[in-house]
Amino acid sequence: MRDLWNKLRRRFGRDKLALFSVAVIAIYTVTGLLALSGILAPDYARSVGDAYAPPSWIHPLGLDVLGRSIWERTVQGARVALIVGFVSTFIAIPFGTALGLVSGYFRGVVDAIVVWLYSTLDSVPTILLLLTLALVLPTGKGLATVCIALGITSWVSTCRVVRGEIIRQKEFDYVRAARSLGATDGRILFIHLLPNALHLILVQASLVFVYSIKSEIILSYLGVGVQNFPSWGVMIDDARLELVGRGVWWQFAAATGALFVLVLAFNLFNDALKDALDPNQS
């Protein structure tokens, strides 16, 4: 584990784009935490001026139809994006990792059931599955439902990747040696195999995080996601008619710009993470 973190620190220290992506993600994270604590953008729901007021020194991103600050609503949108990303990832990654471990190690009936399960889920169009779950979950429409729905549907790729790695690793000499010394299946799985698949799990966690953010925005735009809260998807939906009917572009630009910068930073981060953890590179 220590060698893994040392390798990450060394590789990221030499990659300026990777450092830039980490800095951007850190800024978004701090912004979301400050918004969650109520320190930043606490008056996002209050009218502070005239409807459709353009960007100015007082309101750098302008005001919406109700005179609310688009800057504060964009900041609160970062809060929603980070909550969805973290919660969905913490649901999907452990679940997908656990299924991938037992499926790849024990094979047989267990493997057949897991493969059938993720193949079935993978055969259903993702957006339709998300829409269905968002509508039928007992928690109703809202942030909690979105997080649960995304967590339920985002584990498949992690499970498939971990399963393939465990199938490959279990035939290595170190696993055979551990088994010959009397190590239990649990010890082999969690002490020997899991650490050697950790680099793939970290990459998958980053991919699931950004996928969850983008999916939440789509669901909120379609009206089955976050309700009565300034998600970027809700802002884009609100700005749709403003842009076409009145030429009011600032709410649309704020939401899409915030999303673009965050997704770009995560894409750069994912590329750097894959390169840093590639076992074929020293």
Side-chain angles (χ1 to χ4, degrees), residues 123-145:
S123 66
V124 181
T126 304
I127 190 64
L128 293 180
L129 186 59
L130 285 171
L131 285 170
T132 302
L133 287 172
L135 290 171
V136 302
L137 283 172
T139 48
K141 295 181 181 179
L143 186 58
T145 299

Side-chain angles (χ1 to χ4, degrees), residues 26 82 97 191 202 249:
L82 292 170
T97 299
I191 302 300
L202 289 174
W249 52 267

Side-chain angles (χ1 to χ4, degrees), residues 41-280:
D43 298 324
Y44 66 91
R46 185 170 63 88
S47 176
V48 293
D50 298 330
Y52 299 128
S56 63
W57 287 108
I58 299 176
H59 304 294
L61 296 181
L63 305 179
D64 67 2
V65 62
L66 299 178
R68 298 171 299 188
S69 170
I70 293 175
W71 158 253
E72 295 204 0
R73 293 176 65 78
T74 303
V75 168
Q76 291 293 333
R79 165 191 172 183
V80 172
L82 292 170
I83 290 175
V84 170
F86 278 116
V87 174
S88 301
T89 301
F90 283 131
I91 294 174
I93 294 300
F95 187 68
T97 299
L99 287 182
L101 281 172
V102 299
S103 175
Y105 184 77
F106 293 107
R107 304 303 301 274
V109 176
V110 174
D111 186 43
I113 293 173
V114 172
V115 171
W116 173 84
L117 182 59
Y118 74 58
S119 298
T120 301
L121 280 176
D122 216 22
S123 66
V124 181
T126 304
I127 190 64
L128 293 180
L129 186 59
L130 285 171
L131 285 170
T132 302
L133 287 172
L135 290 171
V136 302
L137 283 172
T139 48
K141 295 181 181 179
L143 186 58
T145 299
V146 171
C147 292
I148 295 171
L150 289 171
I152 291 173
T153 57
S154 302
W155 61 269
V156 171
S157 61
T158 302
C159 179
R160 184 184 289 114
V161 168
V162 172
R163 172 182 175 271
E165 183 66 11
I166 297 304
I167 291 174
R168 188 178 72 91
Q169 292 275 345
K170 68 179 289 189
E171 301 301 328
F172 286 3
D173 290 340
Y174 76 92
V175 176
R176 294 176 180 175
R179 189 179 292 116
S180 66
L181 291 172
T184 62
D185 291 333
R187 181 175 180 84
I188 292 173
L189 275 172
F190 295 104
I191 302 300
H192 298 288
L193 289 173
L194 181 59
N196 285 293
L198 188 59
H199 63 290
L200 297 175
I201 296 170
L202 289 174
V203 173
Q204 282 296 311
S206 182
L207 293 173
V208 169
F209 193 97
V210 70
Y211 164 79
S212 299
I213 291 174
K214 292 188 291 185
S215 297
E216 178 275 319
I217 290 171
I218 294 173
L219 291 175
S220 297
Y221 176 78
L222 295 175
V224 294
V226 177
Q227 304 291 312
N228 303 318
F229 205 81
S231 158
W232 292 334
V234 173
M235 292 176 65
I236 292 172
D237 184 40
D238 291 343
R240 179 168 46 90
L241 296 179
E242 297 175 357
L243 184 64
V244 175
R246 293 175 171 268
V248 177
W249 52 267
W250 33 92
Q251 181 165 213
F252 181 82
T256 55
L259 172 63
F260 172 79
V261 173
L262 182 59
V263 171
L264 176 62
F266 263 105
N267 286 338
L268 294 173
F269 177 78
N270 289 335
D271 290 341
L273 191 61
K274 291 176 186 177
D275 293 340
L277 298 176
D278 187 351
N280 296 320

